[in-house]
Amino acid sequence: MERMWRTHDLKNTYDVVIVGGGVHGLAIAYYLGKRGMKRIAILDKGYLGGGASGRNTAIIRSNYRTAQGVAFYDESVKLYENLSLDLDYNLMFSQQGHLTLAHTDRGVTTLRERAETNRLLGVNSRLITPKEVAEMVPGMDVSASAHQPILAGLYHPPGGIIRHDAVVWGYARGVDRMGIEIHPQTEVTAIKTTSTAGNSGRRKVDGVLTSRGTISAPVVVNATAGWCSIIANMVGIDLPIVTHPLQALVTERLKPFLHHVIVSATLHVYINQSDRGEVVIGEEIDPYPSYRLTSTFRFLENAAAHTLELFPCLARVKVLRQWAGLCDMPPDFAPIMGTVDEVEGFILDVGWGTYGFKAAPAAGHRIAELIATGKTPPVLQPFALSRFANMEPVGEKAAAAVSH
Ligand code: PYC
């Protein structure tokens, strides 16, 4: 059987080193390859897609709250729509529609604001009534006597779910076919920098030290999740990030009964049914910063209780497995992408909080453009690290049920 990607000896020098073999690192390499840049090494201390790329709930959407966020995630949804064809690999993207529920007057106002921002930017998203919600999701308790009665929904037809492992494998196969090297089990232990000419105090990247040897490279991309602060610290940069675990579970397989992604901001729960029939359920991030990947009873109890408020019909369904991933949370719940003033050649694609998987194609495409042209594309500019010093946050907290 043909392998999807090959193993390589580590070379002494590359044009670009990408730290992180998740969907972001792979996507950056793929779009660089499309621009003709091939002397690239993707390094990961574990196995491909073993971090957040393999631990998310595979939801794709662009119904964000801020204009900057909507424009960016809309690019990603559009790239996802063509990605199976582009990679010649079936990613099982099901654009089944994404439905966020409001149970309070304030919740309805937030959904209305999001619907209006979405529509102004050409993203298909609208407020719907409880009656429409009931017609769309017959298995859900939409009665007025529910503990959290549903007052409205934000319906976003282009949203949906994808086979997340397939996205990782598809990009990996794509970059391998271009001659780009993937190096799993290769830990970056330090980043080499030297002073630039003059007295500016600026430095430039020279390469990386790894568990398999030293590499020279003028560009190093931090495309890690969970470890982004540690990698940034290697060039003396403190990121304004705290890392929290995020847990999820799947149930045993059921016959298809749920044909939309359901999200409740008040109950902090999101639910979809995979193409295998499992019900995939997520909750909010764990309330404490940690790097632990442990599944907890607290999560299991909350997720079950909140799911049953919406779907009492799932009461006797068995949980099949539970897992956790790591989310790097910035203060404004928006990612950090682009160059940094202090270190030339050091590029950030980090701080994805709970939004990273859905963003990978657009992030990869635009970071590749930045590296190839030396210019920050306008869609990336609001997400620069300097926005925190300049007091220009991109307030994306209300765009999800997962991190309030
Ligand atoms: O932003 O849709 C989302 C999401 C779901 C789970 C984590 N993030």
Side-chain angles (χ1 to χ4, degrees), residues 163-201:
R163 182 71 204 280
H164 54 356
D165 294 326
V167 178
V168 172
W169 300 332
Y171 272 130
R173 188 180 74 155
V175 301
D176 183 78
R177 286 180 170 182
M178 290 167 166
I180 291 169
E181 295 178 15
I182 301 173
H183 294 280
Q185 311 301 335
T186 308
E187 181 171 358
V188 172
T189 52
I191 301 178
K192 293 187 296 172
T193 60
T194 46
S195 297
T196 52
N199 239 346
S200 63

Side-chain angles (χ1 to χ4, degrees), residues 11-14 17 19 43 188-196 202-210 213-221 231-236 342-347:
K11 296 196 176 69
N12 295 329
T13 172
Y14 295 91
V17 165
V19 190
L43 312 181
V188 172
T189 52
I191 301 178
K192 293 187 296 172
T193 60
T194 46
S195 297
T196 52
R202 285 195 88 210
R203 286 165 297 129
K204 67 179 179 59
V205 159
D206 277 343
V208 295
L209 272 55
T210 82
T214 301
I215 301 172
S216 300
V219 176
V220 172
V221 185
I231 300 293
N233 266 323
M234 292 179 182
V235 293
E342 300 85 341
V343 189
E344 203 177 301
F346 188 64
I347 312 279

Side-chain angles (χ1 to χ4, degrees), residues 102-315:
H103 308 269
T104 62
D105 290 343
R106 178 61 218 166
V108 176
T109 306
T110 305
L111 294 192
R112 183 169 291 122
E113 285 166 2
R114 277 170 65 187
E116 285 175 10
T117 308
N118 293 176
R119 287 161 76 99
L120 274 171
L121 289 158
V123 167
N124 189 354
S125 185
R126 68 187 160 87
L127 221 59
I128 63 173
T129 62
K131 184 165 175 290
E132 288 172 282
V133 171
E135 283 161 11
M136 219 173 252
V137 196
M140 195 160 64
D141 181 3
V142 293
S143 63
S145 59
H147 173 223
Q148 295 285 350
I150 295 164
L151 304 185
L154 178 69
Y155 181 46
H156 174 50
I161 49 175
I162 199 160
R163 182 71 204 280
H164 54 356
D165 294 326
V167 178
V168 172
W169 300 332
Y171 272 130
R173 188 180 74 155
V175 301
D176 183 78
R177 286 180 170 182
M178 290 167 166
I180 291 169
E181 295 178 15
I182 301 173
H183 294 280
Q185 311 301 335
T186 308
E187 181 171 358
V188 172
T189 52
I191 301 178
K192 293 187 296 172
T193 60
T194 46
S195 297
T196 52
N199 239 346
S200 63
R202 285 195 88 210
R203 286 165 297 129
K204 67 179 179 59
V205 159
D206 277 343
V208 295
L209 272 55
T210 82
S211 52
R212 290 174 55 215
T214 301
I215 301 172
S216 300
V219 176
V220 172
V221 185
N222 181 356
T224 58
W227 292 269
C228 74
S229 310
I230 294 165
I231 300 293
N233 266 323
M234 292 179 182
V235 293
I237 291 184
D238 273 330
L239 295 175
I241 279 184
V242 279
T243 301
H244 287 247
L246 176 64
Q247 303 187 45
L249 64 81
V250 292
T251 68
E252 61 184 315
R253 294 174 190 193
L254 303 178
K255 288 195 174 150
F257 79 102
L258 183 58
H259 307 289
H260 303 284
V261 180
I262 307 297
V263 180
S264 164
T266 304
L267 295 169
H268 295 300
V269 72
Y270 37 98
I271 305 165
N272 66 74
Q273 189 171 20
S274 76
D275 45 17
R276 284 193 292 232
E278 298 163 344
V279 185
V280 183
I281 300 172
E283 270 266 320
E284 58 187 333
I285 51 173
D286 286 352
Y288 39 80
S290 170
Y291 288 93
R292 278 175 19 137
L293 289 174
T294 316
S295 297
T296 64
F297 283 115
R298 184 202 66 85
F299 162 77
L300 192 57
E301 190 174 3
N302 286 349
H306 292 149
T307 301
L308 292 184
E309 290 202 27
L310 294 173
F311 292 97
C313 59
L314 296 179

Side-chain angles (χ1 to χ4, degrees), residues 56-61 63-64 98 246 261 263 270 282-283 354-356 358 399-402:
N56 59 84
T57 44
I59 297 170
I60 309 292
R61 64 189 178 93
N63 56 355
Y64 276 72
H98 182 279
L246 176 64
V261 180
V263 180
Y270 37 98
E283 270 266 320
T354 60
Y355 300 146
K358 56 185 69 54
V402 59

